[in-house]
């Protein structure tokens, strides 16, 4: 063959190869709409076989370059809509598709493989298998919050939590747009009972650990936004366990829907694992109803009601505690007389009427009322012995007696008007509210200590009590609040046309707003500007960068006002009308990255924050009781880093791992001291798995490892908080078996067995301080619950 022929042949193959290369790629473009024809932004378009992902822009349009094949499978997905799949047969050049997404039916059996992209500071939490998680308190939603990054708890009996160095009182909770309250006199996790949130009735949970929008009220640390569901058809469920029971039923038609939830809890079985033995008789009852009526597309009426009755009766018998180190073991024994009787009765109601001025404009008028009547009474005497366990030397012997007659009644009413309007690039919200508060309290507490025959503190000419408190206050006030905010979305970069390949666009979401408030009690007016920005860069649409800043206030309510003054030998609590709101200037930088590993979806989140705190009202924490100084005395800071990895560690399940680092201090009398919530590190794991070979057996494991909190001797002030409790370590595991599925009457039947505190770790909740005749104090730890088994049955109809 001549060389010329060889050159012709090579040129032919080269041209064929080039032509083939061009034929292997094509442009897929189009638009994604909802069932009403409205454009859907940030919908995901994926080609799993080629690992290609694109998103729709603000107009619902998309464009991406793919490799041609005999068949190319493309998926269209968005949270809240059914996933659509299109198969393209030998596609060439440019393919144009118009996709219509249908809303997801709540009864469909679907697995959401992609979490909603977070473009603000409110994270939507996954509620999958919430009822199957092992629980000591029975408050499933709060226990879910306690496992999030930046959140801490050191008491499995309590639904309370600290967020990024804040106190329990710095967390706001909303149900269907209305702020809810908790009882005010509760001082221990044993008393708490059931929280106001019924997990059976919850549809969505949004949680922000800082930098939240202006529509959320005047709290400094966090916002929890709960939305109750409106059932589409008849549904019902029931649960029974050794710790309580619950029942739920919901029904609806075209205009009317209602749901009812009933819960009963008794932690008598769980409290039996405490070191203090005796007769525990706790009973907690809760009933809730949510009713909606929509006569036409323009009007809707919704009503929510809650009745809660919590009784805690306790007759202690004895207690024996060993503490110290292996080389220096102490033994503490107490024999008790007396009893405690507490009642916490709360009522909450909300009624709203919504006028739809169009598909994108709504006005809502809301009225809500909260009432609580609380009674805490106890007379308990203890005779104690403190010994050196190794030498049998008696270190202290004595008697103490604690007395309380505390009564409180509170009423809070609120009238709100809310407005929201959705435009092409803007979501505008505004609201005003007027609140009326009336709180009446009558408290009397005292404690006597007699060590080795001497009353402590000892004086020659009179008998003094180590602690006494008397207060009788009546507070009536009004608050006026309002806010306006906007979420503005835009994009930069090139959009596609017929001749371009996939576009390179950067998406932005800016939420900005301002909140204002005035309180009649102290005449204070607050202005709180807030803003957050989310950026989805063109170079990787799986990345979201978030920035947030704002000035946040903690408006005093009741406990912060109580200023204690000692007159003679009696401490009196009065209301400080000069009190000012605590202030927090917050800066947050966050990074979200969505990725696939082992062909399963994952999301990694990192958030760094700094909070400059001023006008702080110092406080001490004993168990879950927060006692304030009643004056603005300190300033401080909180800074830290929160990390979270969420995804399918096991196919078809949701698991996550969180790790937090934090430092928080306040300047008290010229000295920097740690805040009572200074938890320097925390690690949490929530892991779900199936037993090999079957999906009927499911296992859920919860692990917590958190740094201990600062503490000190009572009545010594913040300067005395020089000790740190041991780290909180706990493991809970639950196993569930799907005994029945898709029966004629029963939809599912689950049988479960939980092991609470799997390793039987003795976690310290607080300390009891024993004083000997030399006025030396010994810190005796109060341990939390031990290892317990809990069986449960869940039936879904």
């Amino acid at each position: 063959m001549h060389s010329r022929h060889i050159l012709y042949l090579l040129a032919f193959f080269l041209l064929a190869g080039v032509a083939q290369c061009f034929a292997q790629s094509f442009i897929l473009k189009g638009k994604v709409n909802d069932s009403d024809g409205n454009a859907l932004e940030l919908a995901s378009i994926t080609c799993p076989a080629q690992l290609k992902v694109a998103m729709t822009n603000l107009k619902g349009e998309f464009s991406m370059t793919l490799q041609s094949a005999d068949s190319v499978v493309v998926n269209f997905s968005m949270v809240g809509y059914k996933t659509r799949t299109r198969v393209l047969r030998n596609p060439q050049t440019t393919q144009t598709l118009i996709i219509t997404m249908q809303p997801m039916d709540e009864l469909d059996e679907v697995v959401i493989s992609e979490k909603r992209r977070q473009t603000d500071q409110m994270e939507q939490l996954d509620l999958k298998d919430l009822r199957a998680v092992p629980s000591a308190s029975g408050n499933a939603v709060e226990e879910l919050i306690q496992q999030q990054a930046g959140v801490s708890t050191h008491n499995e009996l309590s639904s309370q939590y600290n967020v990024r160095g804040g106190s329990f009182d710095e967390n706001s909770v909303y149900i269907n747009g209305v702020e809810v309250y908790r009882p005010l006199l509760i001082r221990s996790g044993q008393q708490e009972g059931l929280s106001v949130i019924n997990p059976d009735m919850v549809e969505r949970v949004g949680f922000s650990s800082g930098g939240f929008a202006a529509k959320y009220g005047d709290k400094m640390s966090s916002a929890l936004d709960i939305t109750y569901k409106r059932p589409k058809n008849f549904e019902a469920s029931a649960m029974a366990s050794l710790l309580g029971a619950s029942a739920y039923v919901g029904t609806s038609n075209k205009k009317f829907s209602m749901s009812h939830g009933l819960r009963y809890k008794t932690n008598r079985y769980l409290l039996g694992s405490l070191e203090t033995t005796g007769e525990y008789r706790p009973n907690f009852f809760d009933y809730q109803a949510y009713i909606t009526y929509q006569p036409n597309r323009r009007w809707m009426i919704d009503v929510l009601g809650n009745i809660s009755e919590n009784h805690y009766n306790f007759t202690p018998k004895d207690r024996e505690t060993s503490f110290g180190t292996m080389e220096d073991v102490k033994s503490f024994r107490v024999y008790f007389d007396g009893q405690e009787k507490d009642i916490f009765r709360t009522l909450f109601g909300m009624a709203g009427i919504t006028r739809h001025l169009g598909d994108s404009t709504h006005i809502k008028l809301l009225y809500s009322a909260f009432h609580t009547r609380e009674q805490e009474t106890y007379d308990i005497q203890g005779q104690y012995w403190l010994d050196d366990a190794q030498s049998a030397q008696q270190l202290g012997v004595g008697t103490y007696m604690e007395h309380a007659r505390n009564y409180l009644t509170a009423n809070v009413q609120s009238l709100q008007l809310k407005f929201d309007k959705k435009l092409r690039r803007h979501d505008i919200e505004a609201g005003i509210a007027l609140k009326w508060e009336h709180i009446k309290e009558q408290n009397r507490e005292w404690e006597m200590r007699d060590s080795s025959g001497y009353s402590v503190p000892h004086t020659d000419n009179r008998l003094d009590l180590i602690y006494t408190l008397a207060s009788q206050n009546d507070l009536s006030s009004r608050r006026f609040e309002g806010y306006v905010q906007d979420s503005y979305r835009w994009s930069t970069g090139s959009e596609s046309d017929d001749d371009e390949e996939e576009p390179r666009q950067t998406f932005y979401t800016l939420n900005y707003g301002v909140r204002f408030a005035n309180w009649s009690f102290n005449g204070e007016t607050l202005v709180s500007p807030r803003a957050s920005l989310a950026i989805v860069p063109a170079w990787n649409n799986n990345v979201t960068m978030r920035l947030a800043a704002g000035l946040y206030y903690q408006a005093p309510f009741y406990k912060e006002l109580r200023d204690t003054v000692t007159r003679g030998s009696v401490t009196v609590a009065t209301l400080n009308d000069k009190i000012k709101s605590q202030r927090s200037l917050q800066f947050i930088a966050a990074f979200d990255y969505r990725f696939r590993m082992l062909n399963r979806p994952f999301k990694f989140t990192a958030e760094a924050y700094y909070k400059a705190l001023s006008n702080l009202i110092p406080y001490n924490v004993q168990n879950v009781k927060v006692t304030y100084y009643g004056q603005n005395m300190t300033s401080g800071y909180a800074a830290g880093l929160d990390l979270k990895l969420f995804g399918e560690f096991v196919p078809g399940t949701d698991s996550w791992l969180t790790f937090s680092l934090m430092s928080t201090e306040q300047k008290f009398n010229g000295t920097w001291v740690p805040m009572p919530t200074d938890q320097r590190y925390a690690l949490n794991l929530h892991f779900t798995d199936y037993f090999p070979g079957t999906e009927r057996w499911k296992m859920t494991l919860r692990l917590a490892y958190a740094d201990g909190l600062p503490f000190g001797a009572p009545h010594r002030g913040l300067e005395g908080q020089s000790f740190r409790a041991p780290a909180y370590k706990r493991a809970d595991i639950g196993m569930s078996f799907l005994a029945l599925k898709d029966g004629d009457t029963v939809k599912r039947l689950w049988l479960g067995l939980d092991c609470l505190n799997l390793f039987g770790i003795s976690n310290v909740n607080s300390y009891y301080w024993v004083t000997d005749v030399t006025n030396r104090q010994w810190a005796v730890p109060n341990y939390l619950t031990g290892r317990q088994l809990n069986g449960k049955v869940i039936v879904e109809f």
Side-chain angles (χ1 to χ4, degrees), residues 364-606:
K364 186 169 186 176
L365 182 66
L366 271 169
Y367 172 78
S368 64
F370 169 78
H371 168 80
T372 180
R373 189 178 185 89
E374 304 174 26
Q375 169 185 311
E376 182 185 42
T377 62
Y378 55 83
D379 285 285
I380 296 178
Q381 176 180 286
Q383 296 177 323
Y384 66 84
W385 288 262
L386 178 64
D387 301 323
D388 188 308
Q390 294 174 327
S391 65
Q393 178 186 359
Q394 191 174 87
L395 303 176
V397 58
T399 301
Y400 69 87
M401 185 171 184
E402 297 177 342
H403 165 92
R405 294 293 184 271
N406 298 331
Y407 305 93
L408 182 141
T409 302
N411 295 282
V412 180
Q413 300 179 70
S414 173
L415 185 64
Q416 304 178 57
L417 181 64
K418 295 185 175 184
F419 167 84
D420 68 87
K421 182 174 182 62
K422 294 183 181 297
L423 302 173
R424 178 184 169 189
R425 296 178 179 267
H426 296 267
D427 289 343
I428 303 171
E429 299 182 56
I432 56 174
L434 185 61
K435 295 181 179 180
W436 299 268
E437 302 167 350
H438 182 209
I439 302 173
K440 186 176 182 180
E441 65 154 354
Q442 182 176 342
N443 291 359
R444 180 70 178 179
E445 300 179 8
W446 55 261
E447 180 182 352
M448 183 273 292
R449 291 190 188 179
D450 182 3
S451 178
S452 298
Y454 292 89
S455 177
V456 180
H458 176 67
T459 54
D460 294 332
N461 56 358
R462 69 175 185 269
L463 177 64
D464 287 338
L465 300 173
I466 193 171
Y467 166 72
T468 178
L469 173 67
S471 66
Q472 186 170 351
N473 295 299
D474 195 325
L475 169 66
S476 294
S477 63
R478 295 183 306 277
R479 298 181 194 261
F480 179 72
E481 303 173 351
Y483 68 90
V484 59
Q485 69 176 54
D486 176 33
S487 291
Y488 173 46
R489 299 176 302 277
W490 77 97
S491 62
T492 59
S494 62
E495 295 190 10
S496 61
D497 57 37
D498 290 342
D499 300 325
E500 290 184 334
E501 295 186 356
E502 55 186 297
R504 293 290 183 178
Q505 287 186 283
T506 299
F507 297 91
Y508 302 87
T509 301
L510 174 65
N511 181 282
Y512 59 97
V514 63
R515 185 175 185 87
F516 53 88
N518 177 268
W519 192 24
S520 65
F521 180 74
N522 62 358
E524 183 182 31
T525 298
L526 306 175
V527 178
S528 173
R530 309 171 185 181
S532 66
L533 174 66
I535 304 172
V536 182
W539 46 268
N540 191 336
N541 57 28
N542 287 316
V543 170
T544 305
M545 296 176 289
R546 293 181 283 114
L547 300 171
L551 182 61
Y552 294 81
Y553 290 92
Q554 177 76 18
F557 183 57
Y558 157 71
K559 292 187 289 186
E560 297 98 319
L561 302 176
R562 302 174 78 243
D563 186 10
T564 55
V565 179
T566 301
R567 298 170 181 170
S569 60
V570 178
T571 301
V572 179
T574 59
L575 301 182
N576 180 10
D577 60 1
K578 305 298 183 182
I579 200 80
K580 298 298 181 182
S581 296
Q582 302 177 86
R583 187 167 56 203
S584 172
L585 180 60
Q586 301 185 10
F587 302 93
I588 299 171
F591 175 86
D592 301 334
Y593 178 56
R594 303 187 302 175
F595 63 96
R596 298 188 70 85
M597 183 170 61
L598 302 177
N599 202 29
R600 299 196 292 270
F602 289 86
K603 178 184 176 182
F604 172 75
T605 299

Side-chain angles (χ1 to χ4, degrees), residues 79-80 104-107 112 124-128 130 141 144 174-176 197-206 225-232 235 248 257 259 290 292:
V79 174
M104 186 176 294
D105 188 345
E106 292 188 0
L107 296 181
I112 299 177
Q124 298 299 317
L125 301 182
D126 198 321
L127 303 180
K128 185 179 180 181
L130 186 64
V141 173
L144 176 65
Y174 291 81
I175 297 181
N176 288 7
I197 303 171
N198 187 331
D200 294 336
M201 303 175 69
V202 173
E203 181 180 46
R204 292 192 305 274
V205 173
D225 193 352
I226 303 294
T227 302
Y228 276 3
K229 58 186 174 184
R230 297 171 57 190
K232 304 300 182 183
E235 57 186 33
Y248 163 79
S257 73
S259 56
Y290 180 47
T292 66

Side-chain angles (χ1 to χ4, degrees), residues 272-382:
S273 64
L274 297 176
E275 290 189 328
T276 300
T277 63
E279 186 177 2
Y280 292 91
R281 299 189 307 276
N283 294 285
F284 311 112
F285 170 82
D286 173 272
Y287 168 72
Q288 297 188 33
Y290 180 47
I291 301 172
T292 66
Y293 175 63
Q294 190 168 5
N296 52 55
R297 295 186 59 185
R298 296 300 182 189
W299 293 95
M300 189 182 80
I301 300 172
D302 58 329
V303 178
L304 174 64
N306 168 239
I307 301 173
S308 179
E309 183 91 4
N310 295 340
H311 291 254
Y312 178 73
N313 299 320
F314 174 44
T315 303
K317 182 180 178 182
D318 57 50
R319 164 185 174 175
E320 184 167 355
T321 302
S322 296
F323 64 99
T325 63
M326 294 293 292
E327 295 78 17
D328 186 17
V329 181
K330 302 294 187 295
S331 174
F332 180 66
R333 291 174 293 127
V334 188
Y335 297 96
F336 296 100
D337 288 316
Q339 62 180 342
E340 177 177 354
K341 290 187 176 182
D342 305 327
I343 300 175
F344 304 94
R345 181 179 295 117
T346 60
L347 305 173
F348 169 72
M350 179 273 288
I353 180 169
T354 304
R355 167 67 174 174
H356 301 278
L357 302 179
D359 293 337
S360 60
T361 307
H362 312 92
I363 295 178
K364 186 169 186 176
L365 182 66
L366 271 169
Y367 172 78
S368 64
F370 169 78
H371 168 80
T372 180
R373 189 178 185 89
E374 304 174 26
Q375 169 185 311
E376 182 185 42
T377 62
Y378 55 83
D379 285 285
I380 296 178
Q381 176 180 286

Side-chain angles (χ1 to χ4, degrees), residues 636-654:
Y637 73 90
L641 176 67
D642 295 332
L643 306 175
K644 180 179 180 179
L645 177 63
F646 179 95
E648 294 186 8
F649 293 18
V650 174
T653 68
D654 292 334

